[in-house]
Every structure is written in C-alpha cells, then in structure tokens.
Amino acid sequence: METVAIFGVGLIGGSFALALKKAGFSGKIIGVSSPATIDAARRAGAIDDALPAEEAARIADLCYLAQPIAQILETLPQLNLWVRPDTLVTDAGSTKGLIVARATETLSRCEFLGGHPLAGKERRGVENANPDLFRGRTYVLTPPEGQGPASPRSARFVEWLDRIGAQPLFTRPEIHDQVVAYTSHLPQLTSTALAACVAREWGGGAPPIWGPALVDSTRLALSPFDIWGDILKTNAQAIDTALARFIEQLQQMRENLTGSEVKDLFDQGAKLAHRVRDSA
C-alpha cells in the first residue's frame, strides 16, 4: 500500500491519516475534501497532497471513505468508474447495512470492505484529529456477503489497523447495525432527549441547580444532527426496536419507583457499567 486517498479529511479521516503516519506509513496520503478542509488538513500535517475525487481514485491503492453516510452512498458508484482492479475501497460509516449493499451493487471493478471505527469526539473537523484516536478502540469490519476477510488487500489493511492500535472485529453488516442501535445510537438519543427535556422545563436555559450528573449525561447531546440525521435514516428499524425496549424499561421503572424492582434495575445497570469500564 503506497498511496492512500482519504475522502473526507475531517475528524475520522484526518485521524486515520495521522495514525498511519505515526505508525510508519511512508507512502503518499491524498486528501479529497472541500478547499477549506484541505487547507486545515495540510496545516495539521494529515495529508501530503490534494486531488479531485477522480484523479485520487485512479492512483490510490486504498480509498478510505470518511464522509457522511449519504455522501458515501453517492461516492461508491462513482468510484467504480475510476478505481483500479487492485484497489481496496473501505469506509468509516456508522451504519453498515445500506453502505455494504450499495457497494455490492455498484463496485464491480475492485474489492470493498465495510468499516466502522468505534472512536470519535463531540468536536468535528480535522483540527481535532488525533493520531491515537483509534488506539484501543474496536474497529468493526463488515465484508460483503460471500467475501472472506482474508484477501491479500483486506489483510494488508487489517495489518495497518493493528499498527495504529485499533482492535479489528469482523461481523455481518446486519449484526453490526442491530448491536450499535443499543450501544451507540440509543445512548445518543437518550442524552439528546434528556437535554431537550431539561431545557424545555426551564425555557431553554440552564436549570438553577445542577451538577456533574447533568454534565456527564448530556455530553453526547453536543453531537451535531447533520451526522446523526444520516444514521437515523439508515438504521431506522433497529433504532426503533431499541427505543421501544428502552421505553418499556423506563415505564417499568416509573411504575415501580418505590418498589424492589427498581433496586434490581440499579443492580443490573451497575453490573453492565462495571463490565464496560473493565473492558475499556
């Protein structure tokens, strides 16, 4: 792998570029983004050059799509007109089912490997990129159906994931989407709903009394909708199921505020919280 083209040099794309450099990648990293983002990526040292999408795709050994989900879905059919047969195309989208399906339908000239690094920040942009963003984080990989995980091109990419400190995990796109509906999308929606609920009670302002609990529980509410809108649209069914189960849980808690069942819920919740922190 000598030439990497990063489509969307924001937080994830920029961090991936910086991580490659830190891990010893000596090839060329090309940015495909807006002029303002390219300027910021150059200042951050994330890219070596910038090219239009077609020119970058024609010379890249790896096309890394770190754009918003809707843009990834638009880019995939275009790439099929430009890429070489020995190119690997991968993405960093937060949902996988529709992306992998689109890649299967449209990418006939090269190999595709779906991806989702479970890493990020509330602050976007390459200005906030970090070469250690992926270190110790699960990096989900979802090959299209019938494509094994051990092709030479995919294996080389996984080697680089190991080098940057990520923890690759192979699974099916539908399994990924079902799980992250609970572990990523539901936390975002509950944080947002809590912040909106409190804001409405106090006319949009901060309440007169608050402490660390409100700060901690509303951290995800800082995330921008222009990213989450695509996630909600492309994983709506799984998210709806997760929300329904969570609403049932809240209703159970509401009906038993002074009963023993609430203690059981606290115990179950604490066990999960400990397990998550112990494995982090």
Side-chain angles (χ1 to χ4, degrees):
M1 189 169 74
E2 297 180 357
T3 304
V4 175
I6 297 182
F7 290 67
V9 195
L11 173 65
I12 297 298
S15 294
F16 182 69
L18 292 172
L20 286 180
K21 289 173 178 280
K22 183 175 180 178
F25 180 70
S26 58
K28 192 173 188 178
I29 299 181
I30 301 169
V32 180
S33 277
S34 67
T37 298
I38 290 298
D39 289 344
R42 289 186 189 276
R43 290 194 298 270
I47 60 174
D48 305 308
D49 198 1
L51 289 173
E54 179 175 355
E55 294 180 39
R58 289 190 184 279
I59 63 173
D61 301 305
L62 173 70
C63 289
Y64 189 91
L65 309 184
Q67 306 149 305
I69 293 172
Q71 197 170 353
I72 291 173
L73 294 171
E74 293 175 1
T75 299
L76 285 167
Q78 298 173 327
L79 287 179
N80 199 54
L81 303 173
W82 307 326
V83 294
R84 305 191 315 264
D86 59 348
T87 297
L88 174 67
V89 175
T90 188
D91 79 293
S94 299
T95 60
K96 296 270 61 78
L98 190 55
I99 290 175
V100 174
R102 180 67 56 85
T104 301
E105 294 168 1
T106 61
L107 278 183
S108 60
R109 296 183 60 198
C110 70
E111 184 177 333
F112 175 79
L113 179 62
H116 178 202
L118 295 177
K121 302 178 181 178
E122 296 80 36
R123 297 183 181 275
R124 301 171 57 198
V126 69
E127 299 88 350
N128 297 294
N130 185 337
D132 295 319
L133 187 68
F134 308 106
R135 187 162 298 280
R137 300 291 186 178
T138 299
Y139 199 115
V140 181
L141 298 167
T142 57
E145 186 174 357
Q147 178 181 302
S151 72
R153 286 182 288 277
S154 292
R156 284 195 294 272
F157 178 65
V158 172
E159 287 175 5
W160 278 107
L161 293 183
D162 289 332
R163 292 185 194 182
I164 68 175
Q167 298 176 348
L169 172 67
F170 282 89
T171 191
R172 300 196 306 274
E174 64 273 17
I175 297 298
H176 167 276
D177 288 356
Q178 290 168 7
V179 174
V180 297
Y182 284 90
T183 62
S184 176
H185 307 164
L186 184 58
Q188 173 64 54
L189 292 176
T190 55
S191 180
T192 297
L194 173 62
C197 178
V198 173
R200 286 173 183 165
E201 286 295 315
W202 278 274
I209 302 170
W210 55 271
L214 188 64
V215 176
D216 293 344
S217 57
T218 58
R219 178 180 64 85
L220 293 176
L222 296 169
S223 302
F225 178 76
D226 57 349
I227 290 177
W228 279 95
D230 284 353
I231 294 173
L232 300 180
K233 289 178 183 177
T234 56
N235 201 27
Q237 183 174 349
I239 293 171
D240 181 72
T241 299
L243 277 172
R245 296 296 298 273
F246 186 62
I247 291 169
E248 290 175 6
Q249 190 76 85
L250 287 175
Q251 186 61 35
Q252 181 184 355
M253 183 175 286
R254 182 185 182 191
E255 293 170 357
N256 296 276
L257 280 178
T258 60
S260 60
E261 288 189 26
V262 172
K263 180 182 181 303
D264 293 339
L265 292 177
F266 268 72
D267 291 342
Q268 292 172 23
K271 286 179 182 178
L272 185 279
H274 281 300
R275 287 177 187 147
V276 168
R277 282 155 180 77
D278 290 343
S279 61

